[in-house]
Amino acid sequence: MSEDVFKKIVSHCKEYGFVFQSSEIYDGLSAVYDYGQMGVELKNNIKKYWWDSMVLLHENVVGIDSAIFMHPTIWKASGHVDAFNDPLIDNKDSKKRYRADVLIEDYLAKIDEKINKEVEKAAKRFGDSFDETMYRQTNPRVLENQAKRDEVHARFAKALNDSNLEELRQIIIDCEIVDPISGTRNWTEVRQFNLMFSTEMGSTADGAMKVYLRPETAQGIFVNFLNVQKTGRMKIPFGIAQIGKAFRNEIVARQFIFRMREFEQMEMQFFVRPGEELEWFAKWKETRIKWHKALGFGDNKYRFHDHEKLAHYANAATDVEFEMPFGFKEVEGIHSRTDFDLSSHEKYSGKKIQYFDPELNKSYTPYVIETSIGVDRMFLSVISASYAEEVLEDGETRVVLRLPAALAPIKLGVLPLIKKDGLPEKAREIIDTLKFDFKCQYDEKDSIGKRYRRQDAIGTPYCVTVDHQSLEDNTVTIRYRDTMEQERVAIDKLSAIIADKVSMKNLLKTIG
Ligand code: ATP
């Protein structure tokens, strides 16, 4: 897939009421988006799939819903006040601001691209006899570029590790990276920029308190560890799940809902005995990839990216990457965070945060495995994988969203052939019996062909057409989105045909 397809997906999302730019009539607010009438249904279904997979399928996982505002010291304890930064650099000519690390990453990606082009060209030239590994190991131009890449990458990784801002700038200078707008190399120093939004709470005489909009939902779980453990009489191992908004003042906000300033996360913290964390890390990796793959987009769309460079508190970390139209990108992070968070909250709050393990007959600070997925990134991956343009036999193109039926916003389109002769009433009757089971949509405008196309475009897996025969024998024509096949079925069989296929329960059964 290409950037071109990506553009089409973005405009499709707008045209069919999935995603709108925030504040559009005021020319928009950058990197903030609203979900429309179709988008909210799809988003809710994604959240339900995640939530149920956590709290229904695992007896020892419970949910919470903590507030967005929290005591500001929490962000000291978590490290966000001091270390949740991006390195920024400005170009003095264009007056534009960039993330220094992204400039370097883009530069590295360009070298990779050069190498790959070289390899592709050779593959074409040599045909079947081409040995890619050998070529990469011996071709002088490839070797030269690879050596350059490795050298810059090593310097870059070290600079990031050491938080060496001067070195980051030096790499940009040495690699002769130019501003894409001004084309110049007139760069400022690199500065750290904190990604948290802050605001003020209260208006007391001695001043209001500075509070932050949470940059992740996880801390709400950590600070409620004891509350949930005690009131729920939870025994280790157990997990706490939460879905909620998070806010980050992202500098490079691009790629639609991939990187937003206000977004939603689905996070689960799983508390385990110290020493058992790597075993649980492996288990959760497996559980989470199964959840993704059960949607049926094809296993080759996913890969793990294990972190080489670990955060100081982590002892294992991986990303689940999904093949977006712009390449494989992180959708979910799975981290083994040791006892860093609970210990840190114990230190800053002065409250003992430990668990008494009756089997071991001792108290300890639990270790944590975290699974953290962005709802919006998941939404983007689902839409991207479902979007298809098909050339039909008559030469026309149809745009269809092949959404997994359990996630589709509308499950059934109900279409009276014409707007009279009692057909609309019959159609409404069908909706009135089925509306308790799943979402139906009535549509009587335009030709049947056009109405089918509209339902295809929003991913509705089933449509039924009500015609004059329906009034006589209580049958309708059902049409399947993916095959476009049609057949005549009895109205009282509809529920049996559709309900099973669109049910979240059956999707969950494939992973439970
Ligand atoms: P990235 O490296 O892409 O900035 P991250 O590693 O900072 O992401 P985490 O802090 O691990 O992300 O957050 C967990 C998940 O939250 C991510 O996998 C992603 O799905 C989602 N997420 C993080 N930042 C954003 C954002 N700005 N917009 C949308 N989703 C986000």
Side-chain angles (χ1 to χ4, degrees):
M1 255 207 271
S2 66
E3 289 286 334
D4 231 21
V5 178
F6 183 50
K7 277 197 193 125
K8 286 188 189 169
I9 292 172
V10 174
S11 51
H12 190 86
C13 278
K14 176 166 182 212
E15 190 179 344
Y16 288 93
F18 284 89
V19 183
F20 306 125
Q21 174 74 60
S22 158
S23 322
E24 197 185 310
I25 59 169
Y26 290 93
D27 297 332
L29 186 65
S30 163
V32 185
Y33 292 89
D34 297 337
Y35 286 83
Q37 67 281 9
M38 289 302 143
V40 69
E41 298 288 344
L42 174 55
K43 196 179 183 209
N44 282 343
N45 291 338
I46 290 172
K47 289 195 271 186
K48 184 168 170 50
Y49 178 41
W50 183 87
W51 185 264
D52 287 357
S53 78
M54 285 293 170
V55 305
L56 295 188
L57 302 191
H58 300 276
E59 215 182 298
N60 57 354
V61 176
V62 293
I64 62 163
D65 183 22
S66 71
I68 288 173
F69 289 136
M70 291 193 269
H71 195 286
T73 309
I74 286 174
W75 304 112
K76 267 297 228 194
S78 68
H80 284 83
V81 171
D82 296 321
F84 195 50
N85 299 319
D86 275 345
L88 290 192
I89 191 164
D90 292 31
N91 182 275
K92 291 183 197 161
D93 299 317
S94 71
K95 307 264 186 289
K96 289 278 173 204
R97 181 163 291 177
Y98 300 91
R99 263 173 65 175
D101 56 333
V102 171
L103 286 178
I104 299 171
E105 270 166 15
D106 286 352
Y107 172 82
L108 290 171
K110 267 194 207 129
I111 304 186
D112 284 339
E113 212 175 292
K114 242 193 223 165
I115 296 174
N116 289 338
K117 276 214 182 107
E118 197 84 47
V119 173
E120 266 168 41
K121 242 177 31 204
K124 267 202 202 122
R125 210 165 51 233
F126 291 112
D128 286 345
S129 62
F130 183 60
D131 180 342
E132 185 179 326
T133 318
M134 176 73 103
Y135 185 80
R136 281 182 186 271
Q137 283 166 358
T138 53
N139 180 278
R141 262 196 311 269
V142 170
L143 284 178
E144 191 187 318
N145 276 320
Q146 190 64 44
K148 188 159 86 186
R149 186 203 186 283
D150 291 346
E151 188 217 311
V152 176
H153 185 263
R155 274 179 74 188
F156 176 50
K158 184 165 180 344
L160 281 185
N161 244 333
D162 303 345
S163 298
N164 186 342
L165 302 182
E166 271 163 38
E167 171 68 355
L168 280 181
R169 179 170 193 273
Q170 200 54 50
I171 296 172
I172 290 173
I173 303 288
D174 293 349
C175 293
E176 302 184 347
I177 296 175
V178 297
D179 176 348
I181 294 174
S182 66
T184 69
R185 285 183 248 150
N186 197 3
W187 297 109
T188 61
E189 298 302 304
V190 177
R191 287 172 299 116
Q192 291 287 23
F193 175 82
N194 194 286
L195 295 181
M196 281 197 294
F197 286 98
S198 66
T199 186
E200 311 231 308
M201 182 176 270
S203 57
T204 55
D206 44 357
M209 177 162 67
K210 180 172 176 180
V211 292
Y212 298 97
L213 297 187
R214 66 180 176 198
E216 61 174 36
T217 58
Q219 298 305 322
I221 292 179
F222 290 124
V223 297
N224 276 297
F225 168 77
L226 282 182
N227 283 338
V228 174
Q229 191 272 315
K230 293 215 164 105
T231 58
R233 289 175 293 119
M234 306 302 291
K235 284 206 175 68
I236 282 203
F238 75 91
I240 305 178
Q242 161 153 252
I243 299 179
K245 288 269 175 134
F247 305 82
R248 296 182 187 179
N249 199 0
E250 301 276 4
I251 304 314
V252 186
R254 56 179 183 190
Q255 289 164 328
F256 193 39
I257 54 173
F258 182 79
R259 191 172 297 288
M260 303 154 90
R261 297 203 167 110
E262 172 179 342
F263 58 102
E264 212 166 353
Q265 289 186 314
M266 307 189 278
E267 297 199 292
M268 196 277 306
Q269 262 64 41
F270 197 74
F271 301 94
V272 304
R273 280 182 187 157
E276 293 184 0
E277 71 276 9
L278 292 180
E279 209 179 296
W280 283 108
F281 176 75
K283 274 198 191 136
W284 277 107
K285 251 177 100 167
E286 197 187 314
T287 306
R288 293 302 306 146
I289 199 73
K290 219 166 144 191
W291 182 90
H292 285 280
K293 288 182 176 172
L295 291 175
F297 296 129
D299 291 1
N300 56 346
K301 292 230 164 244
Y302 303 88
R303 69 181 190 199
F304 283 119
H305 171 239
D306 295 331
H307 292 200
E308 299 151 37
K309 176 187 164 243
L310 293 172
H312 60 97
Y313 49 81
N315 65 2
T318 194
D319 295 335
V320 177
E321 293 186 340
F322 183 82
E323 191 176 15
M324 299 279 186
F326 38 87
F328 273 93
K329 295 284 169 194
E330 170 183 344
V331 172
E332 171 161 5
I334 303 170
H335 312 119
S336 172
R337 300 178 63 103
T338 67
D339 61 355
F340 170 78
D341 304 271
L342 292 182
S343 299
S344 187
H345 286 305
E346 181 169 286
K347 192 170 118 204
Y348 278 84
S349 68
K351 309 271 169 6
K352 190 169 168 215
I353 308 181
Q354 293 217 331
Y355 171 77
F356 177 76
D357 193 323
E359 276 171 45
L360 301 181
N361 197 26
K362 69 172 193 189
S363 292
Y364 53 78
T365 310
Y367 272 42
V368 172
I369 305 302
E370 158 180 277
T371 71
S372 171
I373 172 170
V375 179
D376 314 272
R377 280 196 195 171
M378 186 62 202
F379 185 106
L380 183 58
S381 69
V382 168
I383 285 268
S384 307
S386 303
Y387 182 90
E389 289 173 17
E390 294 175 352
V391 181
L392 305 178
E393 273 169 20
D394 61 7
E396 262 194 61
T397 306
R398 81 157 176 160
V399 174
V400 53
L401 283 188
R402 295 178 180 280
L403 294 172
L407 299 186
I410 309 285
K411 312 300 187 194
L412 177 68
V414 182
L415 323 172
L417 188 63
I418 51 172
K419 276 191 251 185
K420 53 182 187 183
D421 300 346
L423 301 186
E425 290 76 10
K426 187 78 185 165
R428 298 264 185 222
E429 228 176 79
I430 295 175
I431 292 180
D432 279 340
T433 50
L434 294 178
K435 70 184 177 191
F436 302 99
D437 298 321
F438 44 76
K439 182 104 180 131
C440 304
Q441 191 179 65
Y442 177 86
D443 189 5
E444 60 174 25
K445 198 170 175 292
D446 300 323
S447 69
I448 283 289
K450 273 198 182 148
R451 281 182 263 169
Y452 282 154
R453 288 291 179 281
R454 274 204 295 269
Q455 295 297 333
D456 287 343
I458 57 172
T460 307
Y462 303 98
C463 286
V464 292
T465 303
V466 178
D467 57 16
H468 292 91
Q469 192 185 329
S470 310
L471 302 178
E472 285 160 26
D473 64 3
N474 272 317
T475 63
V476 286
T477 306
I478 185 167
R479 183 230 189 218
Y480 303 95
R481 176 194 70 197
D482 294 342
T483 58
M484 292 192 291
E485 269 167 26
Q486 300 184 21
E487 59 180 328
R488 195 97 203 161
V489 297
I491 290 172
D492 60 12
K493 292 267 158 46
L494 281 177
S495 176
I497 296 172
I498 301 168
D500 259 8
K501 305 249 174 36
V502 303
S503 93
M504 189 64 77
K505 178 173 156 185
N506 286 341
L507 176 57
L508 287 167
K509 276 188 173 170
T510 64
I511 56 172

